[in-house]
């Protein structure tokens, strides 16, 4: 074996500047690699090092000698019997980003690098499959240039982030990682929650009736509390909620839901234990989490300024209850129609903008109109000469003595007011 150590060392140092040190861990001040973690040496012989995953392949080559595969057993690779000298060490496994250490000087007593390979796309670092945390980490890295994961070597970060293998890090890698996570989720069975099974107790009746439903005398009732979970979407992540599932012997699965869409009611004595729906929409859960449920409109309000039917307020928009798509509210599934519900109009202004007959105006001491009351229900709304930039809801223009005013009739507010209450425009 030739011993041209000086020239070889210079060549290897130049090569080290080009090749990524592709492992996760702490900085190595001895070799110049920035991603290897030192082994304690107390429980592991100095001629061995750890390798993760344990079935990865490790290759070592003495300078000017042919590379040879290193023995790997139970997550340990060994240099036992190796001659002293400068070695290049590499580790690889399909689906993982390879590790390269171009110049490691081995002598008796040397501690071998502890190598941890990272899966392609596992940019947040660590072991295991890619997940939404990696998607979030990659998004942060691509959009801001900041990296907050566990990998310490910059070259290795870039290699892991190159999900599609084209040598660049961009939105195409994000799309590829999103597809990987979605495909992995599709291969796994639906995540189940905790199930409690007991002999069936109580009565099952058809919703809206007192008609009891026959249940086998030896029936069992299995109730599964299904947890919510983060779901990856093209625009980021969303929380998917799952209503509790009720499985009664002899019946198809049913899901806890709102009374308005229930097919059955499970009674415990005379008390309602659960409203149940047979709709498969609940089986798949939903990312549309309802924040407010408007119900029980009084008869007086129903004639003016109230919704035509019960609605959900989801992401700032109103939806009619009782449709075909599922939403969650307080842990219960609710079906809603994805069409914005329209409030019944107050009688504030005619088509030409002039006040309706019976609508009353209030003025300040200077004679300027400041408020108007609905001709039908008497609710009072303030007038504004300038429409706020952040307005929402129903806008009515009223012309008084040649001056145009705006009335903001916010459905979520006006439908809950009573006679004599003033509703101010949103000043966002």
């Amino acid at each position: 074996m030739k011993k041209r150590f000086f020239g070889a060392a210079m060549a290897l140092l130049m090569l080290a500047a080009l090749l990524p040190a592709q492992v996760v861990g702490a900085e190595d001040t001895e070799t110049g690699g920035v991603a290897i973690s030192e082994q304690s040496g107390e429980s592991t012989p100095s001629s061995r090092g750890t390798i993760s995953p344990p079935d990865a392949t490790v290759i070592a080559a003495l300078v000017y000698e042919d590379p040879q595969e290193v023995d790997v057993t139970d997550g340990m690779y060994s240099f036992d019997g190796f001659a002293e000298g400068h070695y290049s060490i590499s580790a690889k496994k399909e689906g993982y980003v390879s590790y390269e250490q171009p110049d490691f000087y081995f002598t008796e007593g040397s501690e071998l690098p502890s190598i941890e390979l990272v899966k392609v796309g596992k940019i947040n670092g660590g072991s295991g499959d890619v997940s939404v945390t990696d998607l979030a980490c990659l998004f942060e890295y691509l959009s801001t240039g900041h990296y907050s994961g566990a990998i310490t070597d910059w070259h290795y970060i870039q290699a892991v982030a190159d999900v599609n293998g084209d040598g660049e890090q961009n939105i195409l890698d994000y799309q590829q990682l999103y597809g990987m996570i979605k495909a992995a989720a599709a291969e796994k069975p639906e995540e189940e929650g905790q199930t409690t099974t007991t002999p069936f107790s109580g009565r099952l009746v058809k919703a809206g009736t007192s008609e009891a439903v026959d249940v086998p005398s030896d029936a069992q009732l299995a109730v599964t509390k299904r947890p919510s979970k983060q779901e990856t979407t093209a625009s980021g992540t969303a929380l998917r909620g799952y209503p509790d599932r009720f499985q009664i012997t002899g019946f198809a699965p049913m899901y806890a839901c709102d009374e308005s869409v229930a097919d059955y009611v499970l009674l415990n004595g005379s008390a309602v234990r659960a409203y149940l729906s047979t709709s498969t929409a609940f089986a798949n859960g939903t990312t549309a989490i309802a924040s407010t449920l408007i119900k029980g409109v009084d008869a007086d309000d129903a004639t003016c300024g109230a919704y035509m039917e019960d609605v959900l307020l989801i992401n700032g928009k109103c939806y009619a209850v009782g449709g075909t798509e599922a939403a969650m509210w307080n842990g219960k599934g609710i079906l809603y129609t994805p069409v914005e519900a329209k409030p019944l109009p107050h009688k504030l202004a005619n088509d030409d903008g002039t006040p309706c007959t019976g609508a009353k105006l209030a003025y300040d001491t200077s004679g300027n109109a400041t408020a108007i009351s609905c001709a039908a229900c008497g609710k009072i709304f303030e007038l504004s000469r300038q429409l706020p930039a952040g307005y929402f809801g129903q806008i009515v223009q009223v012309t008084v003595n040649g001056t145009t005013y705006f009335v903001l009739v916010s459905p979520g507010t006006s439908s809950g007011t009573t006679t004599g209450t003033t509703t101010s425009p949103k000043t966002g």
Side-chain angles (χ1 to χ4, degrees):
M1 180 180 66
K2 299 179 183 179
K3 296 184 178 181
R4 295 162 56 187
F5 289 113
F6 179 79
M10 290 299 294
L12 287 169
L13 287 172
M14 293 176 65
L15 182 62
L18 299 176
L19 293 176
Q22 298 171 333
V23 287
V24 179
E27 198 169 33
D28 179 1
T29 57
E30 179 183 355
T31 65
V34 293
I36 63 176
S37 57
E38 297 298 337
Q39 208 160 291
S40 67
E42 295 179 1
S43 59
T44 305
S46 60
S47 57
R48 296 188 179 186
T50 60
I51 174 69
S52 177
D55 57 348
T57 300
V58 180
I59 303 294
L62 195 61
V63 178
Y64 303 119
E65 297 290 336
D66 293 334
Q68 58 181 313
E69 186 171 335
V70 177
D71 178 64
V72 177
T73 304
D74 296 330
M76 305 288 294
Y77 71 99
S78 171
F79 265 31
D80 288 346
F82 277 45
E84 179 179 331
H86 289 266
Y87 286 84
S88 63
I89 304 175
S90 63
K92 62 182 179 180
K93 178 177 170 58
E94 185 177 357
Y96 290 74
V97 178
S98 299
Y99 161 81
E100 299 285 347
Q101 174 67 286
D103 184 20
F104 176 76
Y105 186 76
F106 172 73
T107 185
E108 185 177 356
S110 297
E111 293 185 352
L112 300 183
S114 180
I115 305 171
E116 181 182 359
L117 302 185
V118 179
K119 282 189 174 182
V120 175
K122 189 66 179 174
I123 190 171
N124 203 40
S127 59
D129 294 327
V130 293
S131 66
V132 292
T133 61
D134 300 299
L135 199 69
C137 188
L138 180 59
F139 178 80
E140 177 190 36
Y141 174 63
L142 294 176
S143 59
T144 68
H146 176 69
Y147 175 74
S148 57
I151 305 174
T152 60
D153 179 73
W154 190 251
H155 292 289
Y156 201 70
I157 292 171
Q158 293 178 309
V160 176
D162 183 17
V163 185
N164 64 359
D166 64 357
E168 299 179 358
Q169 298 80 35
N170 51 39
I171 190 62
L172 298 178
D173 298 298
Y174 183 87
Q175 293 173 343
Q176 179 84 1
L177 181 57
Y178 167 69
M180 289 168 57
I181 296 172
K182 188 174 182 180
E187 294 177 356
K188 297 179 181 179
E190 178 185 333
E191 180 180 347
E192 295 290 351
Q194 183 176 358
T195 300
T196 303
T197 302
T198 58
F200 178 78
S201 176
R203 291 189 303 131
L204 187 65
V205 301
K206 291 183 178 180
T209 73
S210 57
E211 181 182 345
V213 179
D214 290 335
V215 177
S217 59
D218 59 347
Q220 297 284 310
L221 171 62
V223 180
T224 302
K225 300 287 185 179
R226 301 194 298 167
S228 300
K229 59 184 178 181
Q230 288 291 334
E231 179 181 82
T232 303
T233 65
S235 58
T237 60
L239 183 67
R240 178 169 287 272
Y242 293 90
D244 296 343
R245 183 174 63 197
F246 287 71
Q247 179 72 66
I248 302 174
T249 303
F251 292 82
M254 292 181 281
Y255 302 88
C257 66
D258 181 73
E259 179 184 1
S260 62
V261 293
D263 298 306
Y264 295 96
V265 182
L266 181 60
L267 297 174
N268 182 12
S270 61
V272 175
R273 177 173 179 180
Y275 293 102
L276 301 175
S277 171
T278 59
S279 172
T280 57
F282 295 120
N284 299 322
T286 176
T287 56
I289 307 301
S291 58
T292 303
L293 177 62
I294 303 174
K295 295 190 64 177
V297 179
D298 293 334
D300 292 340
D301 289 335
T303 59
C304 185
Y307 288 103
M308 292 181 289
E309 54 187 315
D310 293 343
V311 299
L312 296 175
L313 182 63
I314 304 175
N315 295 332
K317 291 186 177 181
C318 302
Y319 298 86
V321 170
T324 58
E325 297 192 16
M328 296 292 291
W329 180 70
N330 288 350
K332 294 183 178 181
I334 300 169
L335 292 181
Y336 70 90
T337 302
V339 177
E340 189 167 358
K342 302 296 182 182
L344 297 174
H346 286 274
K347 295 181 179 180
L348 299 176
N350 299 311
D351 293 339
D352 61 359
T354 57
C356 288
T357 302
K360 298 179 180 179
L361 292 165
Y363 298 85
D364 61 17
T365 55
S366 300
N368 297 312
T370 59
I372 185 173
S373 62
C374 175
C377 66
K379 293 180 181 178
I380 301 173
F381 299 89
E382 289 186 357
L383 302 178
S384 173
R385 294 191 180 187
Q386 183 176 2
L387 189 65
Y391 73 88
F392 66 93
Q394 178 187 359
I395 302 298
V396 178
Q397 297 184 34
V398 180
T399 301
V400 180
N401 298 329
T403 300
T404 298
Y405 297 91
F406 298 96
V407 183
L408 176 66
V409 185
S410 173
T413 303
S414 63
S415 62
T417 58
T418 56
T419 302
T421 301
T422 298
T423 303
S424 301
K426 184 181 186 309
T427 58

